[in-house]
Every structure is written in C-alpha cells, then in structure tokens.
Amino acid sequence: MLPGLMQDRPLAIIDILRFAATAHATQEVVSKNVDEPIWRSDYAGTMRRVAQAANMLAGLGLNSGDRISSLAWNTHRHFELFYAAPGMGLVLHTANPRLPDDHLVYTINHAASRVLLIDRNMVEIVERIKDQLTTVEKIVTLTDSARTPAGYEGYEDLIAAQPDSFAWPSFDENTAAFLCYTSGTTGDPKGVLYSHRAVVLHGFAAGLSGALGFSAFDVVMPCQSLYHATAWGLPFAGAINGVKFVFPCDKFDGASLQALIEGEGVTFSGGVPTIWTMYLDHLERTGGKPGTLQRVIIGGSAVPRDMAVAFDRLGVVVQQIWGMTETCPLGVVATSTPALAARGRDAENEQIWTRQGRMMFGIEMEIFDDEGQPLPHDGEASGALCVRGPWVLERYFRSDTSAVDADGWFDTGDISTIDELGFMRITDRKKDVIKSGGEWVSSIDLENAAAGCPGVKVAAVAGVYHPKWEERPIMLIEAHDGAELSEADVRAYLESRVPKWWMPDRIFFEPVPMTATGKIDKKIIRDRHADALKEG
Amino acid sequence: MLPGLMQDRPLAIIDILRFAATAHATQEVVSKNVDEPIWRSDYAGTMRRVAQAANMLAGLGLNSGDRISSLAWNTHRHFELFYAAPGMGLVLHTANPRLPDDHLVYTINHAASRVLLIDRNMVEIVERIKDQLTTVEKIVTLTDSARTPAGYEGYEDLIAAQPDSFAWPSFDENTAAFLCYTSGTTGDPKGVLYSHRAVVLHGFAAGLSGALGFSAFDVVMPCQSLYHATAWGLPFAGAINGVKFVFPCDKFDGASLQALIEGEGVTFSGGVPTIWTMYLDHLERTGGKPGTLQRVIIGGSAVPRDMAVAFDRLGVVVQQIWGMTETCPLGVVATSTPALAARGRDAENEQIWTRQGRMMFGIEMEIFDDEGQPLPHDGEASGALCVRGPWVLERYFRSDTSAVDADGWFDTGDISTIDELGFMRITDRKKDVIKSGGEWVSSIDLENAAAGCPGVKVAAVAGVYHPKWEERPIMLIEAHDGAELSEADVRAYLESRVPKWWMPDRIFFEPVPMTATGKIDKKIIRDRHADALKEG
C-alpha cells in the first residue's frame, strides 16, 4: 500500500457546530421548553453556550471517556449537550424517559454515568429512581433560574458565569460520542456506542438529496425524540447544511405543532405516524393548512395509506425512512429517482409510500436466505436484511463478542425484499414472522392491509400456536373513537386485499399494546393470546 | 479515550460505483469519444466494464501502489479508469496534455508510471515524448478495435475477453488513489497524492446543497477536464447521488455542447469561463436556448459580469467555485443562504457572482496577516488564505517536508477576504499582489473591472517595477474580434469603477498569455514588460 499524502485530520462532531457558527452564524435556533417562554438564538449564540456548557461540565471533574446521561426532550439545551459533551471527549447517553423504571435505571447504571441532566418535568421520575442510580454523582436540571426545582441545581445558573469559549481537544475520530440503548421487548436494553467518525459520516450522507436533502433554506422541526438514536442524526445533518432548527420540547399535539409550523416557517418534520395522525386530525378540525411545511418523514412503523393520501392532497411530500439504533440510525430513505418517476405519479407514490426507502451511499444492504446466500433484488425474494458500513455497530457496549459476521454483516432482525431500483421493503421482523404450514405470512403486510379499513385506528397481527398449521395469524383491532366496525367489516375489507390463507383465524377488538418506542408489542399479544387457537 | 464500537470499514472509491450500480443501475452514462459514435451505457454496465478494465490491468503485472498515467479527455473510458485503478489499489496519474512536453515528461517520470493510457489523438504527443519516458512499460490507446492506431494496443480489444467481475480488495482508506500535478508557472510541477479517504469525503461534501447540490434528477456534463484535479470530483460526487453523466470528450465548442445539452437533457455543467463565452456566443448566433440547463459552475478564474448577466437572462444560475489541486479540489462554492437572500435579488446576485464561494463543512478556512494573526471576517480585511481538512494535502509527492504549518494550515498562496456570511473573495495571488507605495492594488479587482468594458475579451493586470512607487499596475487588453476599443475608452470606463490610484500606468493592446490550465500567465507579462515603467 502506498499511503496518500493528505492531511490526517479527524472527523469531529464539534467541527459541525463550529462550521455552522461561522458560515451560518445568524441562522436561528428556536426552542420550546418546559414551562418557559420560547427560546431564540442562532448558531453563533449556540456555539458560545455550548462552550459555556463544556466549561461547566469540565468543572465537575469529568474525564475523557466518562459518560453523562440526559433525560430530556427536544429542546435547545438538549441540543447544546449534543455538541458540548462529545466536543470535550465525553459520551452522552440519551436516556429514554418512556422506558419502564427498571430499564431506565438499568441503562444509566450500565452506562455508569456520572452526571444526569434532566428536564423539569422529569423530576418525578428521578425522585422515584435516584436511589437506585449507583454511579450518578450529580443531577442538573435543564432549567432557567426562575424554574429550577427546589433542591436542584439549574443549567442556566451553572453556565451563566462560564467563559463562552473552550479549548476543544483534538482526538481520534473513533472516540465514542453517544451511547444509545435499544429498547428490545425481550432482555435487557443493549447499548450502541456511536463514534465521532460514525456520526459525522452519517451526517454527511443524511443531508444528501437521496436521503433528507437539506438546504440552508430548510426549517427543521425534529418530532422524533432526541433520545431516540439522536433523532435520526438531525442535529448533525441539519447543522452541516445550515438549517434553522425549531425544537418542540415535548409538545407533539396537533395544535402545538401547527403553531410552530405557522410561526417559524417549518419546512421539514418527521416522526412516528401517531404524531402525524394527531396533526392531520387537528388540521381537519380547525380547517388549518400546512403552509410552509413541505416534507414529513415517517419512521418507526409503516406510513398508513390514509395519512399519505391526506398529506398528498395538502401538497406535503411524505416519505418513509428506516433505520435502527444500531445504524446511527439511518439505513434508507424513500426518495424518487428518474427510473421510478418514469413509471408515472401513481406508481411513484405507491413505491414511496409502501417501501421503507432506497439505499443510500455509505451503508451496504443485502438480503440472505437461510443458507446465507444472497437473494436477488427483484422485489419478490425476501430474506434476512443485513447491513454494514462505517455507521453500523460492530458490537454492543460492554459486550465481549462481535455483533457482526465474518464478512462484517450485521443482521438487522428484519425480513425484507430489495427491488431492482434499490428500494427496500420490510415484510416482517424475523421474530414476528408467522410460519403457517411451512409458508410465511407477513404480519406487516396484513397489518397494513387492515389499517386501510375505514374505522381502524391500529391493527396488529401476531402468530400463535395452531395444532395443524404450526402457527396461524390472529389480529387485534383498535378502532377510532365512535367508529362502528364489526369483525365482518374487517374480513370483508381484507378479502380482496390479501391471499385467502393469510386471513386471520381470529380477530379481537381491543387496545393494541405498544412498546416504549411506540411500536406494537407483539410479545404481549402473543403471550396474552397464546392459547387462542389451541383447539385448531 | 473511549473507542466507539462501530464498524471499522474503510472509505473506498470503488464502493461509490458499486452503490450507483445497485441503487441507480439503469441511470445512463453517455460519452463522446475521439472519432467514434456516441457511447451509451449505464452504471450497471459501467461497473462490469470497470471490472474488465481491472482484470486487464491486473494482467499487466501491476502491484498495489503502482502508478499508471492517463493522457485522456472527458470520456467514459477515462471515467472507467477513475474507478478501476483506485479500486484495485493502483494510483491513477491524470497527466495534463496541455502542459509543455518537458513538463509532461517530467510528471510521468516523477510519477514513475508503468502504464500509459492515451486517447487516439494523443498519439502525436506520445510519439514525440515516448523515448524520454523512463518508467513506462506499456502504452494502451483508449480506442475501439476499428480505431486503434497501427502499432498500438486498444483498450476495447484488451478488455473484451476479460471477466466482468473483479475481487476488489479491501485496504486502508488512506491508500493513495490519484496523483494530480499542479502546473505552477514557476518551478517543476508538484504532485498531490489523493487518498481514498480524501476523495470519498470530498465526494460526500461536494454533493450537498451548500456545494454542488446534486440529485439523481441531474444530468451532469463535466466541461472541466478530468485531468484537472479529477474534474472537481464530479465523477464521485455525481455517482454518489446517482446523476446521469454526459462526457463531451474534447469538444467544448458551443455547437457541440448545445447538441449534448439538447440531446441528453443536461441540467448541470461547469468549467472555465472561456468555454461558456463560446457557448453564449453560439446561442446568440443561432438563437438557441439553454433548455434543460439549470446551472453552470465557473471555476479557474472569476465569472465575467457579462456572462453572469447573460446566463441570468436565460434562466441559468451561474455560481463561482474555488479550489486547487491541493484541495481535492473543492474549497468553496457560491451558494445562497436565507441571510443572503434576505438582502434582495440584486444583492444576492452580486454576492454569488463576485465571491469565489461560501465555506462548506469539512474544509476549514482562515485568513492571516503577515504576523500570522487571524483577520476578522468582515469582507474588508484581506490576508493569506489558509485551509485545512481531510481533503487538503499534507505534503507533495516525494517531498521530505510538510506543506502545512504546525497548526495544520496550508497556505494557498491566495490573498482573500472572508465576510460575515462565510463568503470568501480572492483579491489576488500572493505573488501577483501589486505593492504601490506601500499600499496593495488588487490585480484581480482591476481585471474584473476592465472585463466589464464593452469590447474587452480579456484584461490582465500585473505589477512592474516603478522607480518611485516600487511597483505600479500595467494592463493588457485583448479585444473581441472587430471591437473598436481605444485606451481612452478603457480609462474612461475604469474611472468610476476603481480608486484613482489603481489606474494602470500603461495599457497594452495585445493577446493575453495563458498557462496550460487556462489562467493568465502573469509571469510572462511581468517578464515581457519588466521595463515598461522604468523611466517612471
């Protein structure tokens, strides 16, 4: 090997903000906060506050590589910690307040965090669990002076007297920056330790037109939580491209979002479908219009057809997205290409709305059969979806064993197809696949079909034991308030839409259990209805 | 330092094409070639041919790190070598056919290239110099069977029987990939050895909206030579974003470009101003329209105002760009921001047309005074422009000494300002700065002012010895064919546009000497007119 002779300069997260503070100094950073008036600053101001936060953290005696945990919403202070902590060589563990207490405690202890920074309305949780936190030495509330709860120290008080510059150290780009835990429904949460290299490369790729396609004219309102895999990396991809940020705190109801969209000129947002269902309901009730909003990116679960059509009518582009904590998190985004557009508008919409997304440069993707042989990209063959690349994990935090195979592939646990245009479609979680008489039933396809039935709010499908077919699908239906919906209606709706042998053996009308990350909790469904078909 | 736990996968140039061949398989690659019919393939086809080329090169007994040289135009075969050579661990030296013979020989010998791949109409040059090439073992013409010159072996014949897959090796991302020589007007050309890491990172950054802003709906026709610093990295930034490529070979005349723009739906092109002057002349003569063409990016020298206005009237966006062989090559691109747009259309155009460009993430930029102190970003203070980042060189090929200072800054040799919006404007080459009585005259500002004078085709300014003021500016004017233009006309035009003391002491009407890269050769001007003002 002949080495090139270019500069050996490491990729560093703090350089993203330094860039934005120089080339987009006056671009705004706007934020709601718990019980506070709206916050307005810009990248230059944010850079100074980030330096103050770093000086504050340095004063606590933290050392390079130490972990600190946040328990916080989508606010500017949380955003500041996203740069301050990695910038000084610390690791930010973004704890998930939606986890059950025991899992939350587990993650903070597993991270061995020395400092915990919390939003004002997290005090109740923290009071409940703090005696179980074995490594936390200090708790800071992300509050201003006036609103710091009694007995706590507030962020604004702590940073106020700090210098607004910091001697940011330079270090290896493989240094850890973020610790994000998966919230598996089985077993303990597992930590994924993002490096500066992974976050910066992901930030480059995520901003491209084949992914999020950001420009400095975008106003980005992240409605995916900052504690979920760094909110798809928006804090980084956004700043690289100089977007205006609008942080909604924990107010994801339709009226709050609409007020920010109208008031701040939001062009881009995204999040799980639930939020956007509420938003569309709000528009319908109030006769509101999405105004400047151009794009909504949906992740976490498939886009309901109704939602896609409703946004399309309002002139808003809806795109799916797929990723996981283990992929930093972007894997694919559903963006069009000339080859797809040439098929006509309807076919294009169909593809964009029903595929998780199209491959992006930097993350390789392949599907394999049970023998480990790669399957064709024909949109039909489905197999174990595996990924590899510089923003895919190699092993979980504190694990002695690699999470990837000898060729570097990480098995996502999803079953999917890939088509000739490079679009990936998840047909199931591997553990949720229903094996009926040797054939696979896609629980996701069945759920998506049922979700289109008028009156259905959520449909969930799981496989349970069947004496003859080994497994058969059962379905849970949660109807919209006031909807008149019978089992016969659902069956009639499904009849023309799914293969006959996919028809669920039983349909239950009951609330669908959800995980802490807003996904259908199939484990609970399977446990609850384990014996539903034992008589065949 | 706590290491992150993400995959250690190297950035590799061949992965760019592998991605494009998977996710944009049917996207076209179209090319003109010397004396051949137009070529049509796509990324999937190109990937197969690149594998064939790699198998062919492997058969020549080349080893990892070996250099090969191309002497070729903008064609699909040259593009294929851009992936085949680095993909297998070789280094592609893109020799510049516009160099004087002795410089050309020097670069190929300095590179110690073992193979030379040439376009059909380079045979004359090669016959002239081949006895002086001390390391070249084999010469291949980039031709089809029918058009391979007698006594040569042709590329198509050599790859035809090769397998269309190749076991691409994996290696350190700092491995050398390209060797590009600067064509300094003084001293020997110097080699810059690009690494895979530098090229891939540059490819990510160049595609973003703050730079070239590519999407898969773009049809990119590179009119900057592939042998000039990899044509601004377009072969990589384009493929990362799945653009259609249209290669014009060596046909940069207006009619040829217009035929490709109309025939292939070109949306994006770029190059030195001379090409676009010819193109606009062609449109004016023929009454043609730019049709699908949306953007023209001008590099190499400042955009003449007339050209910017003419394109603006035609609905084509013109942007400046600045970079150098040492920066892989993009440094800045003139793209707008909300802060700039808020100043109104005229101010926005003024900024975009007259600044080299706005900073992009990944390449740091600073201006320093003579004492090495950073200067304010106020658009007024001008100083030595220094850059650093992962796609900036550390040292020249075969050099024992670093080209950067202790803080990693590479001094570009340009004098520039940076303004509060992050836009950089070059006011002079350090060596071309005119020191008149202790004050600086910007030769570039003076040239730009004169270039606006009706009838002026090219204006060149240099400083020459003056007994009283140390140096004073002289000006060369090359008029348009048939233009009636007197010295008094030029002086009258300049009077209201430049400070009085900048007025050139003498104005010569004569052809302006150009370097091999199409820049004004000030050294020749200074030598030719060294005594012009010796009497004061």
Side-chain angles (χ1 to χ4, degrees), chain A residues 10 165 177 200 278 321 349 387 392 426 467 473 481 507 532:
Chain A
S165 68
V200 174
M278 295 191 296
I321 201 170
N349 275 343
V387 292
V392 177
I426 291 179
D481 290 347
I507 298 181

Side-chain angles (χ1 to χ4, degrees), chain A residues 86-326:
Chain A
M88 58 195 296
L90 302 179
V91 177
L92 182 64
H93 161 230
T94 50
N96 179 350
R98 304 289 191 203
L99 288 180
D101 281 1
D102 58 336
H103 279 196
L104 179 58
V105 168
Y106 174 89
T107 61
I108 297 171
N109 287 342
H110 190 264
S113 282
R114 294 183 59 194
V115 176
L116 178 60
L117 300 110
I118 67 169
D119 262 323
R120 181 175 156 76
N121 55 5
M122 302 286 186
V123 166
E124 193 184 333
I125 298 177
V126 170
E127 288 296 325
R128 212 160 58 214
I129 65 171
K130 69 179 182 189
D131 290 346
Q132 301 167 61
L133 302 178
T134 54
T135 59
V136 172
E137 301 160 22
K138 189 173 183 78
I139 299 174
V140 173
T141 57
L142 295 164
T143 49
D144 61 11
S145 283
R147 292 168 188 83
T148 299
Y152 284 88
E153 287 182 273
Y155 180 84
E156 294 297 333
D157 286 337
L158 290 171
I159 71 168
Q162 299 291 345
D164 64 3
S165 68
F166 188 84
W168 301 105
S170 183
F171 40 72
D172 189 309
E173 68 189 33
N174 292 303
T175 299
F178 286 89
L179 180 55
C180 301
Y181 283 82
T182 64
S183 50
T185 45
T186 54
D188 289 325
K190 287 180 283 190
V192 185
L193 197 58
Y194 297 174
S195 63
H196 284 254
R197 172 181 166 91
V199 169
V200 174
L201 288 176
H202 178 275
F204 268 127
L208 292 170
S209 61
L212 303 176
F214 283 147
S215 92
F217 291 88
D218 272 310
V219 179
V220 173
M221 176 174 71
C223 290
Q224 48 289 104
S225 301
L226 287 180
Y227 56 76
H228 274 159
T230 72
W232 304 347
L234 293 184
F236 312 112
I240 285 173
N241 294 283
V243 307
K244 170 178 172 178
F245 275 113
V246 178
F247 292 106
C249 191
D250 58 346
K251 296 288 183 292
F252 298 123
D253 63 285
S256 298
L257 296 189
Q258 179 67 355
L260 284 178
I261 290 167
E262 288 186 331
E264 304 298 333
V266 171
T267 64
F268 175 99
S269 191
V272 293
T274 321
I275 289 172
W276 299 104
T277 302
M278 295 191 296
Y279 177 70
L280 287 169
D281 285 352
H282 173 81
L283 291 188
E284 200 172 311
R285 272 201 316 277
T286 59
K289 297 286 171 215
T292 53
L293 187 66
Q294 295 165 3
R295 288 186 292 153
V296 170
I297 309 270
I298 307 279
S301 44
V303 181
R305 169 67 54 134
D306 290 0
M307 180 180 292
V309 171
F311 271 123
D312 192 47
R313 287 199 188 120
L314 292 165
V316 177
V317 173
V318 171
Q319 296 171 295
Q320 290 213 54
I321 201 170
W322 172 89
M324 48 200 313
T325 304
E326 289 88 342

